[in-house]
C-alpha cells in the first residue's frame, strides 16, 4: 500500500473501535456515567478524525496546487465513495427493510432525505456526508481561500450544533425555532454532509499545508488538547444531563480538540504498523451493525451477553473476524478467477503484480535513499499495460511517471493517474492547451522548442533536456543559454535532465563516453546553481545507468526495462546485479489440430516439408500480436504445461503452427505459453528485449496475477 503515516494508519483502527463502542454502550451495565463521558463524548472524535484524514490527503493536495491531477484525485475519490455507498446500502438493505428504516410506502421526501443525508442504516450516514462534504469543500476551495472555507464551514457547523447536542439550548430560543423547523423538514437533522462533515474536511485540508510545522509548539499543542478535552467532557456532561439533546455528535469544543489532536497523531510513531489498517477500519466500521444485530438476538438466549462490556467485546471480535475472513476469501477468489480466465482468451498478457513490486523494491534498495523512482511507461508500459502498471506503482508510493508522447500521457490521465507525468518526446506547441489542461510536464527538446512553446503564452510546466553527448534530443549543455531558458515567460521549469548513450556497455571507450556525459551534466548543474538558479529536480539514469553507475545521486532515476523485469540483452554483464522478475507472460490458445502426412508442406511457402507424419496444432497468435516473424522454426518453442512444443512453418499474421506430435491429446482451447523468456527470444531475433516487448500488439486480453 501507499507509504502512509504510521500514526494515522494505526489510529484508523482505534477510531473504528470507538465507533463500535458508541453503538454498544460498553459501560452501561456497571458505570453509566462512563458512557456519557467517554462513549458519547470523547469517542466522538472518531468520525471527525476520518473526515480529517480525507481532507488531509485528498483535499489538502488540491488546496496546495489546483491542477488537473489534484482535481482528478478529488473526483476519483468522490466516485469511489459513491460506489462504496451504493454497495454498502445494498448490503444493508435486508436489515433496513427488517428494521423498517426503509419501506416501499415511504414518502418520496423521506427517501431522498435518506439517500442524501441520513442513509437507511444508522451508521451509513457517514458516506453521503463524506461525498457531499467533499464536494462542497472542493467547490469552495475552487472559488475562495481556505481561511474563508473554514469560516463558512465553521458557521454551518455552529448552525448544526443547534440541531444536535445543543438542541436543548438552541431549541428554547424563540427566534431560532423556525430555522430549525425548516432544517429538520429538509435535512432530517444536522449531522450530515452540510453542517457536520465540511468543517472537519476543511480543517484536515488546512492542516495538510502546515504538516511540516507539526513538530513546532509541541507543549502548547498538548496544553490546548488537554484544556479543550476537559471542556469537551464538561460540555458533553452538562448538555446530556440538563438539556436532553436530540443527538450527541456535534460539540462546540470538538473541532478544537481535533485541531490539536490530529498533528499529535501524525507525529505519533508507534513501533508496529497495523497491516491493512484502512481495510480493517473500513470493514469494522461498515460491518459492525450486523454483528450488533446478531449478538442482540443471541443475548435473548445467552444471558451473559447482556453484560454491556462483554457485548461490546463479542461484537468487536466477531466483526474483526468477519473482516479478516472476507479479506482472505477475496484474495483466494481473485487467484481462482485468474486461473479460470486463462483458459478462455484468444491471446492474453498475464501481468505479475508481485514481479513489478519486486523489481521496484530491487531498484529502490540499490539506489541512494535520497533518490526516487520515475517509472517509464512509454509504449503502453513496454507492451504490458501502462494503466495497470501505473496503478500498482502508485499504490507503492511512486509519484512520477514518464511517457514518450502527449497522447500516452493523456491516456494515463483518463485512466485516473493523478501523479506527475513527464513527456520525454517532442510535443507540438499547437497542443499546448492540452499540456496545461492535463497538468503534464513537457520536455524542452531544443531552444527552438522552448521559444515556440513560450510564444503560445499558455503557462505550462517543463523539464529541460540537455544534450550531454548523445546528440539526439536536448539543448546544448551551455550554462548561459540554459540560464536564459529558466527565465522564459510562461515556462515553469521544474527539472533538468539528460540521457546516457552507452551506459549498457562496459568497454573502455563506452565508459569514457558515459563519464564524459556525467561530467558535463554535473558541471552544468553546478554552474547553474552558482548563478542562484532554482534548477528544479535532476535525473540522468535509465536502467543501465542505474545498474552500471549506481553510485550517482540525483533526485530521480528513470528505469524502464528493468522495471519490467529484464535486461535488454540477456548476456549483458552489469556492475550491480539485480534480482529481477519478468512482469509479463504471453499466452494463446490451441484452436485447431490435424494429422498431416510426411512429405506435405505446412503453412505459407514450400520451405517446411514434413519428414514424418505430424500432428499439427494451430495457435491463435501471430506477428501482428508481436510474435517476431524472424523467430526461426528450429529454435522457437511454445510451452504446454511446461512441456516445450516446437513451432513449425512460417509465422503468420494471426496464427502460429506447432508440432503437437508429442502431445497429440491436447484439447482445443488449451492455454499455451507463447513468449515466456523474452530475453532468449530477443537474442534469437538479434534484437533487444525492449523491442520485443514494445511491439506487443493491441489484440490482447490483459490479466493480473497476484502471485
Ligand atoms: C526510454 C527511456 C528511458 C528508459 O530506458 P530503459 O533503458 O528502458 O530503462 C529513460 N529515459 C529516457 C529519456 C528514455 O527515453
Amino acid at each position: 500500500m501507499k507509504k502512509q503515516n504510521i500514526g494515522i494508519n494505526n489510529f484508523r483502527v482505534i477510531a473504528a473501535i470507538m465507533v463500535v463502542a458508541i453503538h454498544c454502550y460498553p459501560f452501561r451495565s456497571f458505570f453509566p456515567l462512563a458512557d456519557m463521558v467517554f462513549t458519547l463524548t470523547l469517542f466522538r472524535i472518531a468520525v471527525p478524525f476520518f473526515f480529517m484524514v480525507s481532507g488531509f490527503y485528498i483535499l489538502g493536495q488540491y488546496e496546495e496546487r489546483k491542477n488537473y491531477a489534484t482535481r482528478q484525485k478529488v473526483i476519483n475519490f468522490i466516485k469511489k465513495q459513491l460506489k462504496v455507498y451504493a454497495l454498502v446500502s445494498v448490503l444493508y438493505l435486508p436489515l433496513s427493510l427488517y428494521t423498517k428504516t426503509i419501506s416501499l410506502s415511504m414518502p418520496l421526501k423521506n427517501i431522498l432525505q435518506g439517500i442524501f443525508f441520513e442513509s437507511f442504516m444508522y451508521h451509513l450516514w457517514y458516506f453521503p456526508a463524506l461525498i457531499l462534504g467533499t464536494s462542497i469543500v472542493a467547490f469552495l476551495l475552487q472559488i475562495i481561500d481556505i481561511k474563508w472555507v473554514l469560516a463558512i464551514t465553521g458557521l454551518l457547523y455552529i448552525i448544526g450544533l443547534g440541531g444536535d447536542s445543543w438542541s436543548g439550548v438552541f431549541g428554547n430560543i424563540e427566534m431560532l425555532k423556525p430555522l430549525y423547523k425548516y432544517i429538520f423538514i429538509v435535512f432530517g437533522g444536522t449531522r450530515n454532509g452540510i453542517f457536520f462533515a465540511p468543517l472537519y474536511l476543511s480543517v484536515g485540508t488546512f492542516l495538510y499545508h502546515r504538516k511540516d510545522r507539526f513538530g513546532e509548539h509541541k507543549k502548547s499543542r498538548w496544553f490546548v488538547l488537554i484544556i479543550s478535552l476537559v471542556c469537551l467532557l464538561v460540555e458533553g456532561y452538562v448538555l446530556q444531563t440538563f438539556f436532553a439533546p436530540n443527538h450527541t455528535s456535534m460539540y462546540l469544543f470538538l473541532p478544537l480538540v481535533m485541531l490539536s489532536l490530529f498533528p499529535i497523531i501524525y507525529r505519533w510513531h508507534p513501533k508496529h504498523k497495523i497491516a491493512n489498517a484502512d481495510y480493517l477500519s473500513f470493514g469494522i466500521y461498515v460491518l459492525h451493525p450486523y454483528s450488533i444485530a446478531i449478538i442482540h438476538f443471541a443475548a435473548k438466549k445467552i444471558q451473559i451477553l447482556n453484560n454491556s462490556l462483554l457485548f461490546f467485546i463479542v461484537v468487536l471480535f466477531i466483526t474483526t473476524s468477519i473482516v479478516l475472513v472476507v479479506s482472505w476469501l477475496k484474495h483466494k477468489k481473485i487467484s481462482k478467477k485468474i486461473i479460470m480466465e486463462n483458459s478462455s482468451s484468444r491471446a492474453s498478457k498475464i501481468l505479475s503484480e508481485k514481479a513489478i513490486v519486486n523489481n521496484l523494491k530491487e531498484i529502490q534498495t540499490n539506489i541512494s535513499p535520497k533518490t526516487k523512482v520515475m517509472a517509464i511507461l512509454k509504449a503502453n508500459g513496454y507492451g504490458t499495460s501502462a494503466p495497470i502498471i501505473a496503478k500498482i506503482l502508485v499504490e507503492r508510493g511512486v509519484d512520477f511517471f514518464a511517457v514518450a508522447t502527449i497522447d500516452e500521457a493523456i491516456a494515463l490521465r483518463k485512466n485516473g493517474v493523478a501523479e506527475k507525468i513527464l513527456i520525454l518526446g517532442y510535443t507540438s506547441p499547437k497542443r499546448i492547451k492540452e499540456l496545461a489542461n492535463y497538468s503534464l510536464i513537457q520536455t524542452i527538446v531544443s531552444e527552438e522548442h522552448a521559444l515556440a512553446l513560450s510564444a503560445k503564452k499558455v503557462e505550462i510546466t517543463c523539464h529541460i533536456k540537455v544534450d550531454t553527448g548523445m546528440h539526439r534530443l536536448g539543448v546544448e549543455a551551455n550554462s548561459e543559454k540554459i540560464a536564459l531558458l529558466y527565465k522564459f515567460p510562461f515556462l515553469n521549469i521544474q527539472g533538468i535532465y539528460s540521457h546516457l548513450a552507452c551506459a549498457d556497455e562496459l568497454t573502455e571507450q563506452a565508459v569514457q563516453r558515459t563519464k564524459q556525459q556525467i561530467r558535463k551534466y554535473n558541471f552544468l548543474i553546478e554552474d547553474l546553481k552558482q548563478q542562484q538558479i532554482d534548477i528544479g529536480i535532476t535525473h540522468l539514469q535509465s536502467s543501465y545507468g542505474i545498474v552500471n553507475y549506481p553510485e550517482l545521486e540525483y533526485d530521480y532515476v528513470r528505469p524502464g526495462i528493468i522495471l519490467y523485469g529484464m535486461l535488454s540483452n540477456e548476456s549483458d554483464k552489469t556492475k550491480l546485479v539485480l534480482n529481477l522478475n519478468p512482469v509479463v507472460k504471453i499466452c494463446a490458445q490451441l484452436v485447431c489440430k490435424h494429422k498431416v502426412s510426411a512429405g506435405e508442406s505446412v503453412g505459407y511457402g514450400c520451405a517446411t516439408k514434413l519428414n514424418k507424419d505430424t500432428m499439427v496444432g494451430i495457435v491463435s497468435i501471430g506477428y501482428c500480436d508481436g510474435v517476431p516473424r524472424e523467430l526461426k522454426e528450429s529454435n522457437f518453442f511454445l510451452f504446454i504445461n511446461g512441456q516445450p512444443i516446437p513451432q513449425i512453418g512460417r509465422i503468420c499474421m494471426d496464427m502460429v503452427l506447432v508440432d503437437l506430435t508429442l502431445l497429440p491429446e491436447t484439447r482445443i482451447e488449451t492455454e499455451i505459453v507463447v513468449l515466456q523468456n523474452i530475453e532468449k527470444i530477443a537474442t534469437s531475433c538479434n534484437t533487444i528485449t525492449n523491442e520485443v516487448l514494445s511491439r506487443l500488439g493491441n489484440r490482447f486480453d490483459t490479466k493480473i496475477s497476484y502471485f
Side-chain angles (χ1 to χ4, degrees):
M1 275 287 111
K2 211 175 230 168
K3 264 189 222 157
Q4 228 199 26
N5 179 286
I6 302 182
I8 290 192
N9 178 75
N10 288 10
F11 200 81
R12 280 173 193 270
V13 179
I14 298 173
I17 295 171
M18 288 179 180
V19 173
V20 178
I22 291 171
H23 296 144
C24 291
Y25 296 88
F27 305 107
R28 181 166 47 194
S29 304
F30 52 97
F31 190 28
L33 181 67
D35 268 338
M36 188 191 284
V37 180
F38 295 113
T39 317
L40 291 185
T41 310
L42 178 66
F43 291 179
R44 289 295 184 190
I45 63 175
V47 170
F49 168 77
F50 286 127
F51 284 133
M52 285 177 76
V53 172
S54 301
F56 191 81
Y57 285 111
I58 307 294
L59 293 164
Q61 286 180 13
Y62 179 62
E63 195 256 329
E64 203 170 62
R65 263 186 82 80
K66 288 185 196 76
N67 59 30
Y68 183 90
T70 52
R71 202 158 39 238
Q72 183 88 1
K73 208 166 188 164
V74 175
I75 293 170
N76 288 347
F77 177 76
I78 292 174
K79 274 193 198 155
K80 186 175 152 199
Q81 297 307 327
L82 277 168
K83 249 191 240 167
V84 170
Y85 182 37
L87 211 77
V88 292
S89 298
V90 171
L91 182 71
Y92 273 96
L93 199 61
L95 202 59
S96 328
L97 285 169
Y98 180 75
T99 56
K100 301 207 168 50
T101 51
I102 185 171
S103 73
L104 290 176
S105 55
M106 241 172 160
L108 182 66
K109 178 191 143 257
N110 293 28
I111 292 185
L112 292 178
Q113 213 170 57
I115 292 173
F116 289 103
F117 306 113
E118 306 258 86
S119 82
F120 296 107
M121 200 63 216
Y122 53 88
H123 69 313
L124 297 186
W125 71 274
Y126 173 80
F127 295 100
L130 183 61
I131 294 161
L132 209 56
T134 308
S135 314
I136 290 172
V137 175
F139 171 74
L140 290 176
L141 284 171
Q142 206 166 347
I143 51 173
I144 48 178
D145 187 71
I146 179 70
K147 300 230 164 85
W148 284 105
V149 178
L150 281 170
I152 291 174
T153 54
L155 188 69
L156 286 170
Y157 187 80
I158 303 268
I159 297 172
L161 285 179
D164 200 275
S165 306
W166 284 71
S167 56
V169 183
F170 283 43
N172 285 329
I173 303 173
E174 276 308 317
M175 221 174 67
L176 293 176
K177 275 184 183 165
L179 172 70
Y180 285 101
K181 194 179 129 203
Y182 286 114
I183 285 180
F184 272 79
I185 290 174
V186 179
F187 305 107
T190 56
R191 186 194 60 174
N192 56 35
I194 309 273
F195 300 103
F196 184 80
L199 177 65
Y200 293 107
L201 285 161
S202 42
V203 173
T205 309
F206 173 79
L207 288 176
Y208 180 77
H209 211 89
R210 286 141 196 91
K211 62 182 181 306
D212 297 331
R213 302 213 303 266
F214 281 178
E216 299 165 17
H217 313 298
K218 266 191 272 187
K219 283 216 181 95
S220 50
R221 187 162 282 132
W222 274 102
F223 182 74
V224 175
L225 176 64
I226 289 165
I227 299 288
S228 53
L229 256 181
V230 171
C231 294
L232 174 70
L233 297 185
V234 171
E235 182 190 358
Y237 178 78
V238 171
L239 290 173
Q240 289 175 58
T241 315
F242 303 108
F243 291 96
N246 267 343
H247 212 283
T248 57
S249 293
M250 301 173 71
Y251 295 102
L252 191 58
F253 283 99
L254 193 52
L256 203 57
V257 170
M258 297 314 297
L259 195 60
S260 43
L261 179 64
F262 193 88
I264 291 173
I265 296 173
Y266 190 83
R267 290 186 50 81
W268 173 41
H269 296 295
K271 276 222 181 66
H272 297 288
K273 181 176 172 187
I274 302 176
N276 279 334
D278 46 356
Y279 188 78
L280 189 63
S281 61
F282 170 79
I284 292 176
Y285 185 88
V286 168
L287 292 179
H288 76 275
Y290 260 121
S291 323
I292 291 180
I294 294 166
I295 309 300
H296 211 72
F297 197 69
K300 290 189 182 139
K301 297 258 175 338
I302 310 167
Q303 268 308 313
I304 192 163
L305 283 177
N306 287 311
N307 176 300
S308 60
L309 189 59
L310 194 68
F311 184 93
F312 165 65
I313 291 171
V314 174
V315 165
L316 196 58
F317 176 77
I318 292 192
T319 312
T320 313
S321 315
I322 295 174
V323 175
L324 295 177
V325 169
V326 168
S327 111
W328 181 71
L329 284 178
K330 211 173 123 202
H331 208 78
K332 281 203 88 144
K333 205 174 124 210
I334 288 168
S335 57
K336 222 184 207 162
K337 202 165 107 197
I338 279 168
I339 292 163
M340 275 166 32
E341 274 180 3
N342 284 350
S343 56
S344 64
S345 285
R346 174 192 170 266
S348 51
K349 291 176 199 168
I350 302 180
L351 307 182
S352 160
E353 170 161 3
K354 200 173 160 193
I356 188 101
V357 171
N358 165 75
N359 302 338
L360 175 70
K361 282 214 178 108
E362 273 293 301
I363 298 167
Q364 283 169 334
T365 49
N366 282 288
I367 55 178
S368 155
K370 279 186 251 158
T371 305
K372 297 213 269 180
V373 168
M374 178 191 299
I376 307 290
L377 294 179
K378 60 189 179 191
N380 194 24
Y382 287 50
T384 59
S385 163
I388 293 177
I389 302 290
K391 188 162 174 282
I392 295 171
L393 293 175
V394 167
E395 282 175 2
R396 309 288 151 167
V398 172
D399 64 354
F400 219 134
F401 296 103
V403 291
T405 72
I406 183 172
D407 292 310
E408 288 178 335
I410 293 172
L412 282 179
R413 286 283 187 245
K414 290 192 171 158
N415 273 289
V417 176
E419 279 44 40
K420 282 174 275 195
I421 302 178
L422 170 66
I423 300 167
L424 298 165
Y426 174 81
T427 299
S428 165
K430 287 188 200 115
R431 303 190 67 178
I432 196 148
K433 285 222 170 98
E434 289 165 273
L435 289 175
N437 287 344
Y438 289 102
S439 312
L440 304 173
I441 306 174
Q442 175 57 42
T443 293
I444 291 177
V445 306
S446 65
E447 275 180 87
E448 246 177 299
H449 193 206
L451 269 166
L453 287 169
S454 177
K456 288 286 178 185
K457 299 192 169 33
V458 176
E459 195 156 326
I460 56 165
T461 307
C462 306
H463 281 196
I464 297 174
K465 181 154 192 191
V466 186
D467 179 10
T468 51
M470 179 157 175
H471 305 309
R472 192 176 62 175
L473 293 183
V475 182
E476 187 192 337
N478 173 322
S479 68
E480 271 117 60
K481 283 189 183 166
I482 290 177
L484 286 180
L485 290 183
Y486 276 95
K487 299 190 178 80
F488 266 43
F490 302 104
L491 305 184
N492 173 14
I493 294 172
Q494 292 189 350
I496 181 161
Y497 74 100
S498 189
H499 194 48
L500 299 175
C502 49
D504 56 334
E505 290 173 45
L506 292 176
T507 59
E508 178 70 28
Q509 194 189 11
V511 171
Q512 279 316 319
R513 186 177 177 205
T514 306
K515 287 198 166 155
Q516 175 70 17
Q517 281 196 281
I518 296 168
R519 263 198 304 276
K520 242 189 184 164
Y521 183 63
N522 288 346
F523 190 77
L524 177 72
I525 287 172
E526 275 317 305
D527 214 1
L528 291 168
K529 279 186 184 162
Q530 296 255 309
Q531 298 179 45
Q532 315 291 333
I533 291 172
D534 177 9
I535 59 168
I537 58 169
T538 56
H539 45 105
L540 177 67
Q541 304 140 277
S542 54
S543 294
Y544 281 89
I546 298 168
V547 292
N548 283 331
Y549 300 87
E551 67 285 352
L552 296 176
E553 227 179 57
Y554 301 105
D555 294 321
Y556 278 86
V557 289
R558 301 189 306 264
I561 195 69
I562 55 173
L563 202 51
Y564 300 95
M566 57 196 85
L567 294 174
S568 296
N569 280 303
E570 57 176 336
S571 59
D572 279 336
K573 294 282 168 285
T574 58
K575 204 161 153 188
L576 193 72
V577 179
L578 298 180
N579 178 15
L580 301 171
N581 302 139
V583 163
V584 68
K585 184 169 87 171
I586 301 298
C587 298
Q589 286 180 328
L590 179 70
V591 293
C592 181
K593 61 179 180 180
H594 37 76
K595 280 207 186 94
V596 181
S597 313
E600 289 286 312
S601 289
V602 293
Y604 285 122
C606 299
T608 321
K609 211 172 225 176
L610 299 176
N611 53 17
K612 59 174 173 54
D613 288 355
T614 304
M615 179 66 91
V616 174
I618 313 299
V619 183
S620 55
I621 193 166
Y623 60 75
C624 166
D625 304 293
V627 179
R629 197 165 170 276
E630 359 6 356
L631 282 170
K632 299 188 181 49
E633 54 184 285
S634 55
N635 60 9
F636 179 35
F637 290 90
L638 290 76
F639 294 87
I640 298 179
N641 291 323
Q643 166 129 6
I645 299 294
Q647 176 260 324
I648 53 176
R650 288 188 191 157
I651 290 169
C652 314
M653 190 186 285
D654 321 299
M655 281 171 269
V656 165
L657 284 69
V658 293
D659 179 351
L660 264 186
T661 313
L662 287 177
L663 289 174
E665 301 302 320
T666 308
R667 281 210 292 240
I668 299 305
E669 294 203 1
T670 295
E671 186 192 66
I672 297 181
V673 179
V674 183
L675 305 181
Q676 170 120 311
N677 190 332
I678 311 264
E679 287 181 324
K680 280 222 154 53
I681 287 173
T683 307
S684 19
C685 296
N686 257 322
T687 183
I688 54 175
T689 55
N690 312 41
E691 183 179 351
V692 176
L693 280 180
S694 63
R695 284 190 162 190
L696 293 174
N698 52 17
R699 306 193 298 192
F700 286 98
D701 276 351
T702 307
K703 295 159 191 172
I704 310 173
S705 126
Y706 293 88
F707 306 97

